[in-house]
Every structure is written in structure tokens, then in C-alpha cells.
């Protein structure tokens, strides 16, 4: 069988080419992929495998060299570790540290794994060679003698092969440039250039790719959906292709126009540009025709087995009593279903696939069910609705989708997807998998999120505690941060549980350089400081809202002889201590008045000639004037109190009893001008997003606390 290795000319996969040569696996070289593309191995059978390590494992298994993948399962696992280690470290900033580690490791070893040459030796050797002058300089020194001994031994044993590969590709990379691929093979982040590492769709051609983002309109988009939407956007743009937004509206009991409208709103918020919006319901007539056709061909049947019994039989591989019904009997019951009769509602249509298949998704899956509920688009026209597993491949094929992006949780159902297409006689649509995005202390199931809404545990789908796009934006997340967070993960297929801290850290880097600074003190925890030599009459200075960003504008700050301090600050001040009043100067505290141990007032004097460098305390303050505004500072906690729920755990057993805390405060008068949705920093308190702006003096401005990624307590907000 002919095997072709396709890669980009500017990034030749030296480890793959070297390993194939040593292993005796013949490859046809095709260096014509787009710049930065990930290598793909194409077989004359039409199959292909994608990614450096996947290809290396294939070569190791196909090798004519004995024990190229180790002599047993343990050694094979050790080989896998080296495959992952080599490109990540040897081409990065830890190069010398990696060489030092290898030198120590090889001090008493001839080979990396076991007692013979394995693909691990060739991969590490290739990565060292690929660094060009960087390795050659170390090799000529006497710094890593064990590593050099091993390197020279491999080079000598396979001199002709390795010299040929090195001369053909390393020179083209330039001195000091490693051809080793990125281990993550991720999508470029926002700030990376287009020459960064990119990912490819198997068999994709520029101008011919069509992808689709297919949300179900049964809730608002959440952070997991955002990953799918942005990956589809990435591939559509990368290949100058089409992006279809298709609503998978096949369950009228859960769907509504409200969800459709807000999903479209969220897609716009994410910056996803699509070519067309379609609905699975547009294809209901054709889907029904296909179901009837499959029944007539004997590829589907109507089953009236009770739901629980059917589930049990599928698990045990037991055929339904209806599986061998005649076509006429099946069509008769199908008509009962279409008409929504009592008899019809007891039935469903199942595909006749293979009840003995180890993959249980192929054990006669359900294609159609009865549902009397009216549909949000077509009303009560239909009484039967297709399942996702039946409708999705059908509509993908009809709409011209070339690549269907699906999260890896559907992996076991991929075979079913292809089998359904085959039985329908439709063209093949390639599936491209990516890992589902999971967040700590978070549930992303729309069924569970709906429970929070229906039980008034949150305001609605836009609640700042929710992981919905609108919820996290309302909390204060900039959409640029969300996009960067998702793109940094790329299209990895590894399941990952992500920390919210990382997302909020990215967000802080975006908001901190530009957001305006303001001052606030807690309303029930503040203390008056009287400055005996302060100004007789209050005066105003115009100061920048952000000392390093003129675009934030100006603010008017009032200076007076009576000012408010936070009680927490007052409680750590000593008599005679000199403190710094931010944006004013130093003051010396002369007296601390108390009542039953509670501080009631401070008396001090300005010392504006004092050095701010000598003071321990730098304090925020507000002049005691009538123009101060009332604030409501709102902080949130996770809706569940366990970092990761196991599959058998009920989220209702892990609800957080207190998820919203509110504190009243006084703010500087400039906050009357803060707009809805604006992000500000309350100095020494943190970042806040304005949820309710100033309306009148009797109604507080509502500010939502924004995590900064550094907090480790449960006061960090989350989604549901």
C-alpha cells in the first residue's frame, strides 16, 4: 500500500522522516501543505492519520526493526513518554536543562528504552539534530559526554540514512531552527503571528471547506459552546471556506424562539461571521422521506418496546421482538406515528444496524420519536421528530458540509454517524474531534443550568454566576479574553479541566491598562479622619482616571479637612504613625478615639513634605462631602462547591448555599458618569463592572466584582 507523508516545506517533520527511514517504512514525500501545517499520513486506501506523534506510533508498529516500539507494554508506554517529551523541551527555552537531564539519564544506559534501539532514540536524536548549531556547539564541548556518546553511537549505526535526512532538511531550516513540531499543535493565540503553529483539517482544500456550528436552541450559549463556535470560525477563515450556523431544533419540548434569538446574539458577541443560518426543521419533510425509505429498504423498523426495556436490551445486545417485522407492519405503525395516534405515540423508529456490535451506539439506535408538543417554528404540523443522531449526518451531507467538528465526548458515536450516512446512500462527511471544555466548580449541562433558572437560584440565563456567554460577560469578562483563552487551548483532543483563574488572569491583562480608577469605602465600616491643618474650604483638582492611559479621561477629586478611611485601615494605624493619603501626600496620626474598643474617629495633620517612600501604609480616602454616591458592591461564589463532579454524583448534593454577597459603600462623585457595562478599578479593592449605573441618589450604583486570577479563595466567581 502506498503511503504519502504530507507536510509544509518550512516545517519538515525530521523525526517522522528519520524514523520511517530507519524502520524501513517506505514513504512518498509531499512537502506542499500550507505554511505551519501539521503532518498527515495518507494511505492509498483513502485512510489517513494526522499529527506527529500519531504518525510516529504508526511507524513504530509497522517497523521492520525489532522492538522499535519496545519489547512489552511497559516499554511501549516509556516510548510514548519520550515522544511527548522530545519536541516540547528540546526545541524550547529549556534546551540546555533537557540536555543535562538526558546526559544524566544516559550515563549508565546505551538506549533510552530497554536494551535496544527504539523509535524514542530516533525521535530524540532528530530533535537534537534539528536545532542545528545550537546542538553542534554543545556536542563539540565536553559538557555532556554521556549524551554525546549516545548521539554519536546512533549516528554511526545509521550513518547513511541519517546523514541523507539531515542534509536534505536541517539546512533548509536554518541554523538554530528546530523542525520539531509543537507538542500542543495548537491554534495561534490572538497575539501570535500567522506564522505560528496551526492545525489542519484532514483532506481540506482552500476554498472548498464547509463547516457548521449546530447549537440546539434549548438554552443560551455557554463557554463550552463558545469553543466549538470559535474553532469552526477558525477553520472557515483558514481555508477561505463557508460557515453555516444551523439550529438543531429537533426537540420542541425544550426549544424556544428566545433561545434562538439569544444564541444568534451570542454568536455576534463572539465575533463569529457566518454565511447562512439554517434550521434542521427546514429539512423535516426530507428527513421523513428518508426514514420511510429506510423502512422500505429494511434498514429501519418501528419498535413499541417500552423505553426502559429497550435500554436494557441494547446494553445486553438483545434484539427487539419488532426487529423482524415486515415492511408493511413497519409502515403501518410509521403512519400511526406520523398521525400522532395513541398507538403511534407508543412507538419509535430504530435503525437496523448491529445489536452485537461492541460499540453500543451501533445497536439499533433510535431515529424518530413521537412528540405532541408544538414546535417553535412550525407549530403543530408534525407529530414525529428525528433524533440528533439521525438528522445531523443527513443535514450535514445535504448542506455540503465537508468537515463536522464534534467534541470527543461523541467519539463512540462517530461510527454510528458514518454508518447512518452509508445506509442513507449519502456522501461521506469527515469528522474532526476536539476536546470538550470543562471548567472547575462548573456544570455545563443545559438541563442542569435550566434547573437553576427554574428554581430561582439565579436571576436568569444572563446571571453573572452562570457560565453562559452573556453571564460571564455580565460578570466583567472581555470577549477578547474569552477568545484568547479558547484559542490558546487549540483543537486538542485531550480532556481538560480548566481553572477559571487562567481566564480571569487573561482578562486582567486586557482591562487593567485602560480601565478608569475610582475610590470607595464601605458604608458601615469607615472612620472619619479630621486633619487639623487641612484646607478650611474644600477644593477640587482634576486628576487622570488612569495615570498611564490618557484615554481613560479625567476625574474631579475633592480635598477637605475631614475624610473617610476604611475601618480596616484605621484599625492598623498607630498614634504618631505617618501614612500616605493616595493622590494627596502624607499625614501624621495624632489621636485615635475609641468607644468600647471600636475606633470612632482619627485626628491627624497633613505632612505634605513627608516622603511616600518611608511610609508603610498607603491609604485610599474620600472627602466627607454630600456628593458621594451610594454603591452596591456585589461578589459571587461558585454555584456548586465541588471542583469536579463525578459521573455518578448529583449536582443537587453539591450546591453552594451562599453564592451572592452584597456590601454597601460610598464612592467618589465621578462614578455618576460610569456607564452600564463599563469596567473600572476601585483602588485597593479590585476590578468591577457596572451592572446598574447611576440613576438617582436614592438608588445605588450596582458594581459586580471581577476576579483578577490571583485570588485563591472561594470568593472567585464562577459559572454554574
Amino acid at each position: 500500500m502506498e503511503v504519502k507523508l504530507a507536510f509544509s516545506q518550512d516545517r519538515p517533520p525530521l523525526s517522522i522522516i528519520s524514523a520511517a527511514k530507519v524502520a524501513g517504512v517506505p514513504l512518498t514525500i509531499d512537502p506542499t501543505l500550507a505554511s505551519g501545517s501539521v503532518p498527515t499520513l495518507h494511505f492509498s486506501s483513502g485512510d489517513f492519520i494526522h499529527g506527529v506523534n500519531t504518525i510516529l506510533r504508526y511507524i513504530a508498529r509497522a517497523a521492520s526493526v525489532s522492538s522499535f516500539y519496545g519489547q512489552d507494554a511497559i516499554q511501549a508506554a516509556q516510548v510514548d513518554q519520550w515522544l511527548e517529551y522530545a519536541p516540547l523541551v528540546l526545541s524550547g527555552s529549556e534546551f540546555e536543562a533537557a540536555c543535562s537531564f538526558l546526559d544524566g539519564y544516559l550515563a549508565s544506559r546505551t538506549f533510552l528504552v530497554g536494551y535496544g534501539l527504539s523509535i524514542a532514540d530516533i525521535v530524540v536524536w532528530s530533535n537534537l539534530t534539528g536545532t542545528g548549531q545550537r546542538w553542534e556547539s554543545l556536542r563539540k564541548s565536553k559538557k555532556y559526554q554521556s549524551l554525546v556518546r549516545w548521539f554519536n553511537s546512533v549516528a554511526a549505526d545509521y550513518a547513511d540514512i541519517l546523514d541523507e535526512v539531515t542534509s536534505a532538511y536541517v539546512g533548509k531550516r536554518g541554523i538554530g531552527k528546530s523542525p520539531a513540531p509543537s507538542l500542543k499543535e495548537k491554534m495561534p493565540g490572538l497575539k501570535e503571528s500567522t506564522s505560528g503553529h496551526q492545525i489542519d483539517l484532514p483532506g481540506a482544500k482552500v476554498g472548498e471547506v464547509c463547516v457548521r456550528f449546530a447549537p440546539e436552541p434549548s438554552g443560551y450559549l455557554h463557554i463550552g459552546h463558545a469553543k466549538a463556535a470559535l474553532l469552526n470560525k477558525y477553520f472557515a477563515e483558514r481555508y477561505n471556506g463557508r460557515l453555516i450556523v444551523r439550529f438543531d431544533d429537533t426537540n420542541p419540548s425544550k426549544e424556544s424562539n428566545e433561545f434562538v434569538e439569544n444564541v444568534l446574539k451570542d454568536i455576534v458577541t463572539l465575533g463569529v461571521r457566518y454565511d447562512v443560518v439554517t434550521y434542521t426543521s427546514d429539512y423535516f419533510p426530507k428527513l421523513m422521506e428518508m426514514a420511510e425509505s429506510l423502512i422500505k429498504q429494511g434498514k429501519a423498523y418501528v419498535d413499541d418496546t417500552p423505553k426502559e426495556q429497550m435500554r436494557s436490551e441494547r446494553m445486553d445486545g438483545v434484539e427487539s421482538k419488532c426487529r423482524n417485522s415486515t415492511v408493511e407492519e413497519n409502515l403501518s405503525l410509521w403512519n400511526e406515528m406520523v398521525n400522532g395516534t395513541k398507538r403511534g405515540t407508543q412507538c419509535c423508529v430504530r435503525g437496523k444496524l448491529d445489536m452485537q456490535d461492541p460499540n453500543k451506539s451501533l445497536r439499533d439506535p433510535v431515529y424518530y420519536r413521537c412528540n405532541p408538543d408544538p414546535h417553535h417554528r412550525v407549530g403543530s404540523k408534525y407529530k414525529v421528530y428525528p433524533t440528533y443522531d439521525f438528522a445531523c449526518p443527513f443535514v450535514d451531507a445535504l448542506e455540503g458540509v465537508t468537515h463536522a467538528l464534534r467534541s470527543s465526548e461523541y467519539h463512540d458515536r462517530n461510527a454510528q454517524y458514518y454508518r447512518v450516512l452509508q445506509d442513507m446512500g449519502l456522501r461521506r462527511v469527515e469528522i474532526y474531534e476536539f476536546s470538550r471544555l470543562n471548567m472547575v466548580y462548573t456544570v455545563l449541562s443545559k438541563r442542569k443550568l435550566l434547573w437553576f433558572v427554574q428554581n430561582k437560584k439565579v436571576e436568569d440565563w444572563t446571571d453573572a454566576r452562570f457560565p453562559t456567554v452573556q453571564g460571564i460577560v455580565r460578570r466583567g469578562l472581555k470577549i477578547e479574553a474569552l477568545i484568547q483563552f479558547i484559542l490558546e487551548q487549540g483543537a486538542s483532543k485531550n480532556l481538560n479541566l480548566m481553572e477559571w483563574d487562567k481566564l480571569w488572569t487573561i482578562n486582567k491583562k486586557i482591562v487593567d491598562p485602560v480601565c478608569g480608577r475610582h475610590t470607595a469605602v464601605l458604608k458601615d465600616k469607615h472612620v472619619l479622619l479630621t486633619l487639623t491643618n487641612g484646607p478650611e474650604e474644600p477644593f477640587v483638582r482634576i486628576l487622570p482616571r488612569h495615570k498611564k492611559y490618557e484615554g481613560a479621561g479625567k476625574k474631579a477629586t475633592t480635598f477637605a479637612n475631614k475624610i473617610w478611611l476604611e475601618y480596616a485601615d484605621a484599625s492598623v494605624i498607630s498614634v504618631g504613625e505617618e501614612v500616605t493619603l493616595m493622590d494627596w501626600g502624607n499625614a501624621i496620626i495624632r489621636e485615635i478615639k475609641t468607644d468600647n474598643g471600636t475606633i470612632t474617629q482619627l485626628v491627624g495633620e497633613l505632612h505634605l513634605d513627608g516622603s511616600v517612600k518611608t511610609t508603610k501604609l498607603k491609604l485610599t480616602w474620600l472627602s466627607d462631602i454630600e456628593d458621594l454616591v451610594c454603591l452596591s458592591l456585589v461578589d459571587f461564589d461558585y454555584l456548586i462547591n465541588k471542583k469536579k463532579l463525578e459521573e455518578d454524583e448529583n449536582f443537587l448534593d453539591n450546591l453552594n448555599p451562599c453564592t451572592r454577597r452584597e456590601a454597601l459603600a460610598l464612592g467618589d462623585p465621578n462614578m455618576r458618569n460610569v456607564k452600564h457595562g463599563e469596567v473600572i478599578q476601585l483602588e485597593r479593592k479590585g476590578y468591577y463592572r457596572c451592572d446598574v449605573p447611576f440613576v438617582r441618589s436614592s438608588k445605588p450604583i450596582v458594581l459586580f466584582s471581577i476576579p483578577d486570577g490571583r485570588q485563591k479563595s472561594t470568593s472567585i466567581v464562577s459559572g454554574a
Side-chain angles (χ1 to χ4, degrees):
M1 179 167 37
E2 182 180 353
V3 183
K4 180 178 72 175
L5 175 64
F7 56 89
S8 62
Q9 191 167 6
D10 65 335
R11 244 178 114 209
L14 193 65
S15 58
I16 294 176
I17 299 169
S18 300
K21 291 277 189 182
V22 172
V25 177
L27 298 179
T28 301
I29 302 300
D30 177 20
T32 60
L33 288 185
S35 175
S37 298
V38 175
T40 302
L41 208 59
H42 297 274
F43 299 88
S44 56
S45 63
D47 294 321
F48 58 86
I49 53 178
H50 192 61
V52 172
N53 284 350
T54 305
I55 296 173
L56 287 170
R57 291 186 182 100
Y58 163 78
I59 291 172
R61 292 186 178 100
S64 58
V65 178
S66 176
S67 304
F68 209 44
Y69 205 6
Q71 291 185 326
D72 53 33
I74 295 175
Q75 289 189 7
Q78 293 172 338
V79 168
D80 284 338
Q81 288 180 323
W82 283 110
L83 297 189
E84 294 182 0
Y85 175 85
L88 182 66
V89 179
L90 294 178
S91 60
S93 59
E94 301 178 19
F95 178 74
E96 286 213 26
C99 289
S100 177
F101 167 75
L102 282 165
D103 187 63
Y105 183 84
L106 289 164
S108 57
R109 292 177 172 89
T110 304
F111 301 99
L112 290 173
V113 177
Y115 299 98
L117 183 85
S118 72
I119 196 170
D121 296 285
I122 300 303
V123 170
V124 173
W125 189 95
S126 299
N127 278 274
L128 285 169
T129 300
T131 61
Q133 189 61 41
R134 192 175 190 185
W135 164 243
E136 286 303 314
S137 297
L138 288 177
R139 185 183 178 190
K140 291 174 182 177
S141 70
K142 297 182 179 180
K143 195 171 184 180
Y144 304 118
Q145 294 185 14
S146 297
L147 176 58
V148 171
R149 167 189 51 77
W150 165 86
F151 182 92
N152 292 340
S153 174
V154 173
D157 289 345
Y158 298 90
D160 293 341
I161 293 174
L162 297 178
D163 285 349
E164 177 188 349
V165 175
T166 302
S167 61
Y169 295 101
V170 175
K172 293 182 180 180
R173 293 295 296 166
I175 299 300
K177 299 283 187 72
S178 172
S182 164
L183 178 64
K184 293 182 179 179
E185 293 176 352
K186 64 181 184 180
M187 292 162 51
L190 292 182
K191 296 184 178 179
E192 294 182 63
S193 69
T194 55
S195 62
H197 300 308
Q198 301 184 53
I199 52 177
D200 296 310
L201 287 174
K205 296 180 180 179
V206 174
E208 298 181 11
V209 167
C210 180
V211 292
R212 48 70 171 163
F213 174 55
E216 181 184 359
S218 58
Y220 289 36
L221 289 192
H222 57 56
I223 190 170
H225 299 127
K227 178 176 182 178
L230 290 168
L231 284 173
N232 276 283
K233 171 181 181 286
Y234 168 81
F235 285 123
E237 293 178 351
R238 173 156 165 68
Y239 288 98
N240 191 25
R242 299 178 70 240
L243 171 57
I244 297 170
V245 171
R246 182 203 310 144
F247 286 98
D248 177 43
D249 53 346
T250 57
N251 188 348
S253 302
K254 296 181 178 181
E255 298 158 0
S256 72
N257 285 321
E258 174 200 353
F259 295 140
V260 171
E261 293 166 2
N262 280 281
V263 166
L264 289 173
K265 176 182 177 181
D266 294 338
I267 289 172
V268 172
T269 298
L270 290 169
V272 175
R273 294 190 296 273
Y274 50 84
D275 292 276
V276 64
V277 175
T278 65
Y279 299 80
T280 299
S281 55
D282 295 337
Y283 301 90
F284 279 174
K286 292 183 178 180
L287 282 159
M288 291 177 67
E289 290 175 8
M290 177 56 72
E292 188 167 325
S293 173
L294 292 178
I295 291 173
K296 291 178 179 178
Q297 296 176 57
K299 295 180 179 179
Y301 61 96
V302 179
D303 195 351
D304 63 357
T305 303
K307 188 175 181 179
E308 290 303 318
Q309 181 183 339
M310 185 185 299
R311 180 181 289 113
S312 176
E313 288 178 350
R314 288 192 72 197
M315 292 298 293
D316 297 336
V318 177
E319 292 187 0
S320 165
K321 59 180 173 45
C322 303
R323 196 173 198 268
N324 295 314
S325 298
T326 66
V327 170
E328 290 73 20
E329 290 171 332
N330 284 322
L331 288 174
S332 176
L333 287 176
W334 167 246
N335 287 328
E336 296 281 348
M337 290 179 63
V338 171
N339 293 321
T341 66
K342 182 178 180 180
R343 177 71 175 122
T345 58
Q346 298 170 347
C347 302
C348 67
V349 177
R350 296 176 67 181
K352 188 182 287 188
L353 304 187
D354 184 355
M355 286 298 294
Q356 305 305 316
D357 199 292
N359 184 340
K360 293 182 174 61
S361 75
L362 291 170
R363 295 182 180 179
D364 292 8
V366 174
Y367 285 171
Y368 255 93
R369 290 192 179 97
C370 279
N371 191 331
D373 293 341
H375 189 277
H376 67 96
R377 290 188 74 228
V378 296
S380 299
K381 182 177 180 180
Y382 300 99
K383 305 299 181 185
V384 290
Y385 292 92
T387 60
Y388 173 85
D389 291 332
F390 182 76
C392 183
F394 179 85
V395 181
D396 280 348
L398 259 62
E399 290 191 331
V401 173
T402 59
H403 296 79
L405 273 65
R406 287 161 52 121
S407 63
S408 53
E409 63 185 305
Y410 290 103
H411 178 76
D412 289 344
R413 288 156 70 179
N414 290 349
Q416 180 198 84
Y417 179 97
Y418 289 128
R419 175 64 185 275
V420 171
L421 281 176
Q422 180 182 326
D423 282 0
M424 290 177 173
L426 299 175
R427 65 176 182 81
R428 182 180 175 92
V429 178
E430 296 297 339
I431 292 175
Y432 190 89
E433 289 186 338
F434 61 91
S435 66
R436 172 175 170 161
L437 176 61
N438 297 303
M439 306 297 294
V440 295
Y441 298 106
T442 304
V443 293
L444 293 176
S445 161
K446 283 188 283 188
R447 176 182 60 82
K448 296 173 182 176
L449 296 179
L450 181 62
W451 181 91
F452 283 99
V453 175
Q454 292 177 335
N455 289 275
K456 308 299 182 184
K457 299 295 183 182
V458 294
E459 292 178 25
D460 53 29
W461 288 86
T462 71
D463 193 285
R465 290 163 287 187
F466 253 20
T468 55
V469 172
Q470 293 185 46
I472 54 182
V473 167
R474 187 179 177 193
R475 180 65 200 273
L477 187 78
K478 291 297 183 181
I479 207 67
E480 305 97 295
L482 176 60
I483 293 172
Q484 184 173 336
F485 174 73
I486 289 173
L487 293 188
E488 283 183 355
Q489 298 168 51
S492 167
K493 297 176 180 59
N494 298 322
L495 293 177
N496 45 17
L497 184 66
M498 302 299 295
E499 297 282 349
W500 285 97
D501 282 358
K502 183 176 181 181
L503 177 57
W504 292 119
T505 297
I506 296 172
N507 193 61
K508 178 187 174 183
K509 293 177 181 178
I510 293 172
V511 301
D512 181 74
V514 297
C515 68
R517 269 55 171 170
H518 292 273
T519 304
V521 295
L522 295 177
K523 198 168 186 178
D524 61 347
K525 293 182 179 180
H526 61 297
V527 177
L528 192 67
L529 167 59
T530 300
L531 298 167
T532 55
N533 62 340
E536 294 183 5
E537 295 293 333
F539 67 91
V540 175
R541 287 178 182 163
I542 305 301
L543 301 175
R545 288 180 73 210
H546 191 306
K547 291 182 174 65
K548 297 181 180 179
Y549 178 59
E550 292 184 6
K554 306 288 186 181
K555 62 182 178 181
T557 300
T558 301
F559 297 78
N561 57 19
K562 292 183 182 294
I563 62 175
W564 294 109
L565 301 180
E566 289 280 6
Y567 187 90
D569 290 335
S571 64
V572 296
I573 297 175
S574 305
V575 173
E577 183 175 1
E578 186 167 354
V579 299
T580 296
L581 304 175
M582 294 173 62
D583 290 330
W584 195 347
N586 287 2
I588 300 173
I589 305 304
R590 297 303 185 187
E591 184 180 358
I592 300 176
K593 298 181 179 181
T594 61
D595 182 9
N596 292 325
T598 300
I599 300 173
T600 57
Q601 189 177 351
L602 302 177
V603 179
E605 60 185 37
L606 289 172
H607 182 221
L608 299 182
D609 293 333
S611 172
V612 299
K613 296 180 180 180
T614 62
T615 58
K616 182 174 66 174
L617 299 176
K618 274 70 175 176
L619 309 178
T620 48
W621 54 275
L622 285 174
S623 289
D624 181 20
I625 54 177
E626 293 183 358
D627 288 343
L628 298 181
V629 295
C630 291
L631 307 175
S632 172
L633 306 182
V634 184
D635 194 10
F636 300 96
D637 201 351
Y638 299 110
L639 289 172
I640 60 173
N641 55 26
K642 189 170 183 182
K643 193 168 188 177
K644 180 185 179 183
L645 290 178
E646 302 302 329
E647 288 186 9
D648 59 345
E649 286 188 283
N650 189 339
F651 76 101
L652 295 177
D653 296 331
N654 293 276
L655 297 181
N656 197 339
C658 181
T659 61
R660 177 186 171 111
R661 292 174 295 279
E662 187 173 354
L664 296 178
L666 297 174
D668 67 68
N670 301 279
M671 296 179 69
R672 284 180 169 83
N673 300 319
V674 173
K675 298 178 177 62
H676 173 258
E678 183 178 351
V679 172
I680 62 171
Q681 183 186 50
L682 295 182
E683 300 209 69
R684 299 179 64 232
K685 290 186 180 299
Y687 303 94
Y688 290 81
R689 178 187 180 273
C690 179
D691 193 62
V692 179
F694 180 82
V695 178
R696 55 183 178 272
S697 298
S698 60
K699 187 176 181 180
I701 298 170
V702 180
L703 300 176
F704 285 177
S705 171
I706 306 173
D708 61 10
R710 294 184 301 172
Q711 303 168 356
K712 296 301 179 185
S713 71
T714 54
S715 64
I716 300 177
V717 75
S718 96

